[in-house]
Amino acid sequence: MSSSPVSPSVPAQPYGRPPLRTVQVLGGGAGAGSSAHVRSLATGLAARGVRVTVCAPVEAEGEYDFTGAGARFAPDAVNALRAACAGADVVHAHGVRAGMRAALALRGRRVPLVVSWHADAPAAAGASGAALGRLSRILERHVARAAAVVLGASSDLVDRARLRGARDARLAPVAVPAAAPGAEPGKVRAELGAVGRPLVIAVGSLVEHRGYSVLLDAAREWRTLEPPPLLVIAGEGPLRAELSRRIVEEGLPVRLLGRRRDAAQLLAAADLAVLPSRWEERALLAQEALRVGVPLVATAVGGVPEMVGRGAVLVPPGDAPAFAAAVSGLLADPGHRAELVAAGRAQAATWPSEDDTVAQVLSVYDELTERGRR
């Protein structure tokens, strides 16, 4: 009886060599994009025979089910992280803060460290953020120099890692899984109260760098449209009370939805997606909007222009009138919206697939472990 053929995408282990062991480290406060990326990596690596341990906050395991992806889960407590790293061939941290924790856990051990820089905030600007900015730069410099390889999600992050002293910094765009189909868009719009009016959506935690105060300024300008578009914001965070107060006091056509697990389905029902952030890299909202064919208005910051190409309308950060004008102009011009949808889908087709991303990461691991055997 002949045996079943082995899939070419799952390479066999070299004869006599034990399976590669890797630890994926996620820090507290990791964004949805980083967590989804680690879940995707864990799935792809485990399918290729790699033994994967994910060290992350317990709540991240509850939401992303790393064990269901084929990984072993360990909480991100210091002792658990050190124990997991003790048996690893490669440790891969996601984000600068996670990189610092991993570097400390590996102190005194000859285990290569890979750090992916996804979307950690750049050094704070302005006098009030001067001390925080200095600390951020020190942290980035320490992590960049501790890593055997830094993988930047965008070209500007690669440049920043090199500036901070990285020995080896490479571009590694992050692919995230496509969202599963959800509820029928008409039902979603009815639930949100957007029947007979345009629906505009933003997704992300309610924190300062997301730029939601500027977005509310823009919403104040477009509330005079007929019919006025409804802006819904899916996310939770420390600015909720302040944003809620403004919405009530200024009579803004805005709803705060809180944290939602169906954000991808909300997006698919929207007429426009908006990304007003002060900084971003490969924003999850932008990726999903271009994939599903929802026109996007975003700020031209970080890795956003490189990622979206001509598939979105870009405006300067902090410019509420420009944001309002871009949204109003698109709502009034279905032809332009259709052009953006086509350009966005074409741009999304150029992004690496999940398999591409796993293959690139695995090639880095193989390179580092081969180097260590010499």
Side-chain angles (χ1 to χ4, degrees):
M1 181 175 65
S2 61
S3 60
S4 299
V6 177
S7 169
S9 64
V10 184
Q13 293 291 336
Y15 180 77
R17 184 176 296 174
L20 183 71
R21 300 162 299 174
T22 177
V23 176
Q24 307 289 317
V25 184
L26 267 173
S34 297
S35 300
H37 173 55
V38 169
R39 215 278 182 184
S40 174
L41 268 186
T43 302
L45 291 171
R48 289 161 171 79
V50 178
R51 292 182 181 174
V52 183
T53 298
V54 175
C55 283
V58 173
E59 57 270 23
E61 164 64 8
E63 184 165 356
Y64 291 94
D65 187 22
F66 301 115
T67 53
R72 172 180 171 269
F73 175 76
D76 64 341
V78 173
N79 289 340
L81 178 58
R82 285 187 62 83
C85 290
D89 297 305
V90 178
V91 173
H92 188 164
H94 298 267
V96 174
R97 282 173 290 180
M100 186 65 186
R101 289 172 58 84
L104 292 173
L106 288 172
R107 182 174 290 173
R109 295 172 174 155
R110 298 188 64 183
V111 177
L113 173 63
V114 178
V115 181
S116 286
W117 285 21
H118 296 306
D120 285 33
S128 62
L132 180 60
R134 284 194 295 273
L135 288 174
S136 177
R137 287 190 291 272
I138 291 170
L139 179 62
E140 288 180 349
R141 186 160 54 246
H142 184 92
V143 171
R145 294 176 178 177
V149 176
V150 174
L151 300 177
S154 62
S155 296
D156 67 311
L157 283 179
V158 174
D159 292 342
R160 200 160 98 212
R162 289 171 178 159
L163 181 66
R164 299 289 187 254
R167 291 169 283 169
D168 186 342
R170 311 178 191 181
L171 180 63
V174 173
V176 295
E184 197 273 327
K187 183 178 180 181
V188 174
R189 294 176 71 97
E191 175 208 333
L192 297 175
V195 177
R197 64 191 299 195
L199 177 62
V200 180
I201 186 169
V203 179
S205 53
L206 307 183
V207 293
E208 194 68 32
H209 83 263
R210 295 289 183 190
Y212 288 137
S213 60
V214 172
L215 187 58
L216 294 194
D217 291 341
R220 187 172 58 224
E221 295 193 31
W222 72 55
R223 66 183 170 181
T224 59
L225 299 176
E226 187 56 46
L230 174 65
L231 169 64
V232 296
I233 303 175
E236 195 54 83
L239 293 184
R240 184 181 182 90
E242 177 185 333
L243 297 175
S244 297
R245 176 187 56 77
R246 282 197 57 189
I247 291 167
V248 172
E249 290 181 356
E250 299 174 32
L252 302 177
V254 180
R255 284 188 60 188
L256 301 180
L257 303 180
R259 186 175 178 83
R260 298 282 295 242
R261 291 182 177 270
D262 61 344
Q265 285 71 49
L266 300 179
L267 174 64
D271 297 288
L272 290 182
V274 288
L275 185 70
S277 303
R278 295 180 180 179
W279 58 266
E280 284 287 356
E281 291 308 328
R282 292 185 69 85
L284 187 59
L285 171 69
Q287 293 186 62
E288 292 181 340
L290 268 62
R291 277 177 171 170
V292 302
V294 177
L296 173 69
V297 177
T299 44
V301 295
V304 174
E306 177 182 37
M307 184 181 72
V308 302
R310 300 175 63 183
V313 173
L314 299 178
V315 298
D319 192 335
F323 218 103
V327 169
S328 301
L330 279 177
L331 291 176
D333 190 345
H336 191 187
R337 294 201 304 273
E339 290 172 359
L340 275 184
V341 167
R345 284 180 166 148
Q347 181 71 8
T350 69
W351 299 337
S353 67
E354 290 182 81
D355 279 348
D356 294 335
T357 299
V358 172
Q360 181 183 17
V361 168
L362 189 55
S363 72
V364 172
Y365 296 171
D366 287 341
E367 176 186 331
L368 292 174
T369 53
E370 285 296 332
R371 190 185 302 169
R373 293 187 185 103
R374 292 173 191 159

